[in-house]
Amino acid sequence: MKKVIFVSSSGGHFSEILRLEKLFNEYDYILVTEKTDITYDYKDKYNMQFLKYGPNKNKLKYIWAIIYNVFKCISIVVSYKPETIITTGAQVGGIMCFIGKLFGKKIIYIESLAKIDSLSVTGRNVYKFADKFYVQWETLANKYEKAEYIGRLM
């Protein structure tokens, strides 16, 4: 069975990745997200691994979380050996995609529903190397050559 990592940051991005739940049964998967009180409640329902949540209000904790998450993402990709990484973004999704691409993995990015007129920072970065790049608004598909409109996940 094909191995897939589904990854997102917590909050709205996590809600969007859960909209792909029907795909979880089609693959040998891991769901990767930041560890928060809300996401940790899902640990018994899904095959999950957690990254550090780094609040950007505290710069020292934020930098430490990024460094930790880079090494944790490398560890997950090396040990799990997925064929594909699918993300709805934000920061941790971008980190995992970048690491995955370095290891030759297929990258599928789904831009956030909140982005109507332009790409997010993570979207702009991942757009450059994603194998598939999906958007939830037709206006974005018309602006970005590589973007494909898939409708709304939410």
Side-chain angles (χ1 to χ4, degrees), residues 34 50 61 69 89 106 115:
E34 297 163 320
F50 294 99
K61 283 185 180 180
N69 288 341
K106 181 177 181 180
K115 299 308 289 179

Side-chain angles (χ1 to χ4, degrees), residues 2-8 14 17 23-24 27-33 46-51 72-73 75-82 84-87 96:
K2 187 176 182 179
K3 289 185 172 187
V4 176
I5 294 175
F6 292 88
V7 60
S8 74
F14 184 68
I17 204 84
L23 296 176
F24 295 176
Y27 303 103
D28 180 0
Y29 79 95
I30 294 177
L31 177 57
V32 179
T33 190
Y46 301 110
N47 181 22
M48 295 184 75
Q49 292 217 15
F50 294 99
L51 301 172
K72 179 77 174 192
C73 286
S75 172
I76 291 169
V77 169
V78 168
S79 65
Y80 190 65
K81 297 177 180 63
T84 304
I85 296 170
I86 300 172
T87 188
M96 182 68 81

Side-chain angles (χ1 to χ4, degrees), residues 5 17 25 45 47 55 60 64 95 100 109 118 143 146:
I5 294 175
I17 204 84
N25 292 330
K45 185 173 182 178
N47 181 22
L60 188 58
W64 165 245
I95 292 170
Y109 186 87
S118 62
K143 282 184 169 182
K146 194 163 128 178

Side-chain angles (χ1 to χ4, degrees), residues 20-140:
L20 303 175
E21 180 180 28
K22 62 184 177 232
L23 296 176
F24 295 176
N25 292 330
E26 295 181 25
Y27 303 103
D28 180 0
Y29 79 95
I30 294 177
L31 177 57
V32 179
T33 190
E34 297 163 320
K35 187 176 182 180
T36 65
D37 292 341
I38 293 169
T39 59
Y40 194 69
D41 287 344
Y42 287 88
K43 70 179 177 5
D44 295 328
K45 185 173 182 178
Y46 301 110
N47 181 22
M48 295 184 75
Q49 292 217 15
F50 294 99
L51 301 172
K52 280 205 179 299
Y53 174 71
N56 59 9
K57 293 174 188 164
N58 182 326
K59 297 300 179 198
L60 188 58
K61 283 185 180 180
Y62 184 68
I63 292 168
W64 165 245
I66 289 173
I67 293 168
Y68 174 88
N69 288 341
V70 166
F71 285 102
K72 179 77 174 192
C73 286
I74 292 169
S75 172
I76 291 169
V77 169
V78 168
S79 65
Y80 190 65
K81 297 177 180 63
E83 294 173 43
T84 304
I85 296 170
I86 300 172
T87 188
T88 53
Q91 181 196 82
V92 297
I95 292 170
M96 182 68 81
C97 287
F98 181 73
I99 299 299
K101 198 61 174 180
L102 289 176
F103 283 90
K105 308 307 177 188
K106 181 177 181 180
I107 304 300
I108 299 174
Y109 186 87
I110 303 169
E111 182 60 275
S112 172
L113 178 64
K115 299 308 289 179
I116 299 169
D117 297 317
S118 62
L119 299 180
S120 63
V121 172
T122 304
R124 285 192 308 269
N125 289 325
V126 176
Y127 182 84
K128 298 168 188 170
F129 61 84
D131 297 288
K132 289 286 186 178
F133 194 94
Y134 297 111
V135 294
Q136 298 182 60
W137 294 94
E138 287 184 78
T139 53
L140 284 180

